[in-house]
Amino acid sequence: MNQDNKISAVYPGSFDPVTNGHVYIAERAASIFDELTVSILYNEHKSATFSVQERIEMAREALKHLKNVKIDCFEGLLVDYMKHVGSRVIIRGLRAMSDFEYEFQIALMNRQLAPELETFFIVTDPKYSYVSSSGVREVFHFGGTVQGLVPDCVFKKLSERFNIKN
Ligand code: PNS
């Protein structure tokens, strides 16, 4: 809870780029929590297709219909960022059992570091169960269609980046 008695949550991730699966999770989280911050990890050791600024702009456009959602970025430990923004709730999306092991590890590591935080998992819509940012980038790069899997602004940005008209 923040100073206005509002419950805020943070949806962290790489979002390289944001997909319709992410949008779905953000929509569901935004319908439950008073405020949601979608926060993009800046990691200089991990090569990304899009810069943090580009990812912020795409996420902002894709989520502009959600009035209680803002976009931010962070570097370093998520638990430090959570303290910095004063939120106790971490949102993560789950697609399949294969996500669970990875997510379980992250959630327990975060709990070890900051027991006062809680991770909430939101299950995806089955139609997005196979959609990932890396899959989208690869399919697009090799000329496959990703229409319906990413927001329009991301589709446009992918076309510019890979100089392809799929
Ligand atoms: O979209 P992703 O890449 O699956 O998101 C992973 C993310 C950003 C949530 C996770 O890697 C993270 O929180 N990184 C920040 C560093 C950190 O806090 N690590 C400790 C938990 S393993």
Side-chain angles (χ1 to χ4, degrees):
M1 229 178 268
N2 63 20
Q3 286 140 341
D4 314 319
N5 286 348
K6 289 189 170 163
I7 301 182
S8 65
V10 171
Y11 179 19
S14 303
F15 302 103
D16 186 32
V18 64
T19 67
N20 283 346
H22 294 129
V23 172
Y24 180 83
I25 299 295
E27 283 171 346
R28 294 193 74 98
S31 75
I32 292 167
F33 294 98
D34 297 305
E35 294 165 352
L36 178 72
T37 302
V38 172
S39 201
I40 298 172
L41 174 68
Y42 170 70
N43 184 352
E44 62 178 337
H45 303 295
K46 198 172 155 188
S47 69
T49 301
F50 295 103
S51 70
V52 169
Q53 194 50 41
E54 288 173 313
R55 284 182 267 163
I56 288 176
E57 282 161 19
M58 285 186 275
R60 210 167 262 156
E61 177 66 23
L63 299 170
K64 67 178 181 200
H65 59 295
L66 301 171
K67 299 304 171 210
N68 59 340
V69 172
K70 62 180 183 196
I71 315 298
D72 195 12
C73 61
F74 74 103
E75 59 181 324
L77 286 178
L78 176 61
V79 294
D80 291 338
Y81 173 75
M82 298 297 292
K83 280 177 200 153
H84 172 69
V85 295
S87 174
R88 290 182 52 209
V89 178
I90 299 167
I91 303 290
R92 293 288 288 168
L94 275 184
R95 290 166 301 188
M97 277 310 286
S98 48
D99 276 346
F100 183 74
E101 221 168 303
Y102 169 66
E103 294 300 336
F104 195 63
Q105 268 183 21
I106 295 183
L108 288 182
M109 182 64 87
N110 285 332
R111 180 172 294 173
Q112 157 72 19
L113 294 167
E116 70 279 12
L117 301 183
E118 204 62 68
T119 302
F120 280 60
F121 294 108
I122 297 181
V123 174
T124 192
D125 188 301
K127 70 178 179 228
Y128 301 129
S129 59
Y130 62 96
V131 179
S132 65
S133 298
S134 55
V136 160
R137 290 195 308 265
E138 188 161 304
V139 168
F140 195 89
H141 181 63
F142 290 112
T145 182
V146 295
Q147 227 141 13
L149 305 184
V150 292
D152 289 346
C153 60
V154 172
F155 189 77
K156 218 171 123 216
K157 196 87 189 169
L158 282 165
S159 313
E160 288 164 17
R161 176 57 40 95
F162 294 113
N163 205 11
I164 306 170
K165 296 239 178 313
N166 294 39

